[in-house]
Amino acid sequence: MTEILRERNRRGEGGKLRADILAGATSLLEQTGSEEAVTLRAVARKVGISAPSIYAHFADRDAIVDAIVDTAFADFNAAVRAATAGEADPVERLRAGCGAYVRFAAERPNRYKLIFERQYQVAGPDEPVPAIRRQSFEALVALVQACIDAGLSASTDATLDSTAIWVALHGYATLHALMPGWPWPNDEALLNRIVYGLGKITSPEYFAS
Amino acid sequence: MTEILRERNRRGEGGKLRADILAGATSLLEQTGSEEAVTLRAVARKVGISAPSIYAHFADRDAIVDAIVDTAFADFNAAVRAATAGEADPVERLRAGCGAYVRFAAERPNRYKLIFERQYQVAGPDEPVPAIRRQSFEALVALVQACIDAGLSASTDATLDSTAIWVALHGYATLHALMPGWPWPNDEALLNRIVYGLGKITSPEYFAS
DNA sequence: TGTACATCAGTGAACGCGCGTTCACTGATGTAC
DNA sequence: TGTACATCAGTGAACGCGCGTTCACTGATGTAC
């Protein structure tokens, strides 16, 4: 648990500590792999300050975790959007988006996990899902629908097939992080099976893979 | 947190407490949804005994959680095996096994979650996966291979396609538990897409669904 | 059949720990005069 | 240009809490004689 030597901020620059706390908490989460490890005191140790100093910037422990989730979710949406933006062909766009989804999770496994687990805690078991999460799913449905419209997919239900793709991507992302010792098949091949198989992509060059 | 009124066991029947502790711990896990809630003291309160009494039956807190995992994993394997045993047609067997997989997770979401998360903690990030887990995957591969052998699947790589099916089932199971408020499509339809789509089942009556 | 006693099932008090949070404070620094 | 002071950034000690675990114990019960 490395501690950072830290100089007191100059007057008017107290706000900088907020960013340091967030960075420390995020690295703590990513290193230990569990949300429970993000304690006020552990974060303070990591950042090199005393525990009460955090209260100037966050209301309580939960506010820190919420801030991590907000940042991570924004990063996630941005990563997927950036990946799809670069492709013209509908199938390539879909494939690129799904690739970015899995890559994000692989590179930040614990932040990915937190995004989804926190969802549950925030919304409660029976409450509706927040708009921001629904929107990123709608984007996936739109990608599949574009393939259908271009005559490249045999799907007759973009929502159903998007859901299938989504659960497969989520399962792959979480299992991959959870069982690195598993004899996983080639990453590209598995992703192709998920995207082309569940997306009912008809073009032979896609389906062959 | 209901406490159970409990009479002291008679001489020679001390072992009964072990089962009570396990049952209390399991119900605590299933109610609260988090492994952290399964504390020695919470289990003792649940069962209606004092905390130190647990040490006569379990070495430490971790041993209780391990026992829950062992039981849950055995139950899981039994449920899937029982489902496949009843079917003669290879595709029906595969479909029944996958259905049992998802049903098990839906009925005991927190035990299902624990089985996989504990995996990680036990084996460590880089160690190989225990034989018992590998065996239940091999059973899935065999089900897919049987479909290929019967000329009912166009798959040319039973392991790859079984992996795809597995990650999709896992993703569906975990997301379903995590987001009950999500507008999930019809359960049968989604499972059919996963099993028939990723299993490359060719029979028209299957593929149409 | 009666009784002493070993054993068994389980208890209550205590320990040290890390936690979230509160409170009164300190000391450097920018600014008003 | 010098100085008093308000403000800002952050601290140290303390609180009560629930935890895992230890220890010496208690009292009911089956059994040997």
Side-chain angles (χ1 to χ4, degrees):
Chain A
M1 209 58 68
T2 47
E3 292 185 22
I4 298 160
L5 283 185
R6 199 177 180 284
E7 287 187 358
R8 171 182 295 241
N9 281 317
R10 306 184 68 97
R11 266 181 92 170
E13 300 181 341
K16 285 183 180 174
L17 182 52
R18 194 194 138 90
D20 288 359
I21 292 169
L22 212 46
T26 303
S27 107
L28 207 51
L29 169 74
E30 212 52 64
Q31 279 172 24
T32 66
S34 89
E35 190 211 319
E36 283 75 29
V38 183
T39 68
L40 267 180
R41 292 177 117 109
V43 171
R45 278 192 296 272
K46 185 94 186 172
V47 179
I49 56 173
S50 69
S53 301
I54 293 178
Y55 286 95
H57 303 280
F58 295 91
D60 52 22
R61 194 206 88 109
D62 242 39
I64 300 178
V65 180
D66 283 345
I68 298 177
V69 172
D70 288 349
T71 307
F73 200 78
D75 290 350
F76 173 73
N77 279 336
V80 173
R81 205 168 315 141
T84 56
E87 305 288 343
D89 178 68
V91 174
E92 293 301 328
R93 277 171 64 91
L94 174 61
R95 180 60 178 73
C98 293
Y101 185 121
V102 170
R103 206 172 319 114
F104 179 94
E107 288 168 1
R108 312 160 185 80
N110 294 313
R111 258 170 290 179
Y112 178 81
K113 190 177 146 214
L114 186 63
I115 287 176
F116 279 91
E117 297 199 340
R118 198 68 175 180
Q119 176 61 41
Y120 172 76
Q121 296 169 29
V122 170
D126 292 321
E127 283 171 59
V129 171
I132 187 168
R133 180 163 303 294
R134 208 182 296 262
Q135 277 164 19
S136 70
F137 177 72
E138 296 300 339
L140 173 59
V141 177
L143 288 172
V144 172
Q145 188 62 53
C147 294
I148 299 174
D149 294 345
L152 300 169
S153 164
S155 170
T156 55
D157 187 337
T159 300
L160 174 63
D161 293 330
S162 295
T163 305
I165 291 176
W166 176 40
V167 300
L169 293 177
H170 178 74
Y172 183 37
T174 51
L175 282 176
H176 201 84
L178 224 43
M179 306 171 73
W182 183 263
W184 292 106
N186 175 270
D187 197 78
E188 288 281 314
L190 188 53
L191 263 176
N192 285 344
R193 286 296 299 124
I194 290 171
V195 177
Y196 302 149
L198 291 176
K200 291 190 169 178
I201 302 302
T202 46
S203 331
E205 67 265 33
Y206 300 134
F207 196 69
S209 62
Chain B
M1 210 58 68
T2 47
E3 293 183 24
I4 297 158
L5 283 184
R6 199 178 179 283
E7 285 187 1
R8 169 182 296 240
N9 281 317
R10 306 184 68 98
R11 266 181 92 167
E13 300 182 340
K16 284 183 178 172
L17 182 51
R18 193 194 138 89
D20 288 359
I21 292 168
L22 211 46
T26 302
S27 108
L28 208 50
L29 170 74
E30 212 52 65
Q31 279 172 24
T32 65
S34 88
E35 190 213 318
E36 283 75 28
V38 183
T39 67
L40 268 180
R41 291 176 117 110
V43 171
R45 278 192 296 271
K46 185 92 186 173
V47 178
I49 56 173
S50 69
S53 302
I54 293 178
Y55 285 96
H57 303 281
F58 295 92
D60 52 21
R61 194 206 88 109
D62 242 40
I64 301 178
V65 181
D66 284 344
I68 298 178
V69 173
D70 288 349
T71 307
F73 201 78
D75 290 350
F76 174 73
N77 280 335
V80 173
R81 204 168 316 142
T84 56
E87 305 288 342
D89 178 68
V91 173
E92 293 301 328
R93 276 170 66 90
L94 174 62
R95 180 61 178 72
C98 293
Y101 185 121
V102 169
R103 207 173 318 114
F104 179 93
E107 287 168 1
R108 312 161 185 79
N110 295 312
R111 257 169 292 179
Y112 177 81
K113 192 177 144 213
L114 186 62
I115 287 176
F116 279 91
E117 297 197 341
R118 197 69 175 180
Q119 176 62 42
Y120 172 75
Q121 296 169 29
V122 171
D126 292 320
E127 283 171 60
V129 171
I132 186 169
R133 182 163 300 297
R134 208 183 294 262
Q135 276 163 19
S136 70
F137 177 72
E138 296 300 339
L140 173 59
V141 177
L143 289 173
V144 171
Q145 187 63 51
C147 294
I148 299 175
D149 294 345
L152 299 169
S153 165
S155 170
T156 55
D157 186 339
T159 301
L160 174 64
D161 293 330
S162 294
T163 306
I165 291 175
W166 177 39
V167 300
L169 293 178
H170 178 74
Y172 183 39
T174 50
L175 282 177
H176 201 84
L178 223 43
M179 306 170 74
W182 183 264
W184 292 106
N186 175 271
D187 197 79
E188 287 281 316
L190 187 54
L191 262 176
N192 286 345
R193 286 296 297 124
I194 290 171
V195 177
Y196 303 149
L198 291 177
K200 290 190 170 177
I201 302 301
T202 47
S203 332
E205 67 265 31
Y206 299 133
F207 197 70
S209 62

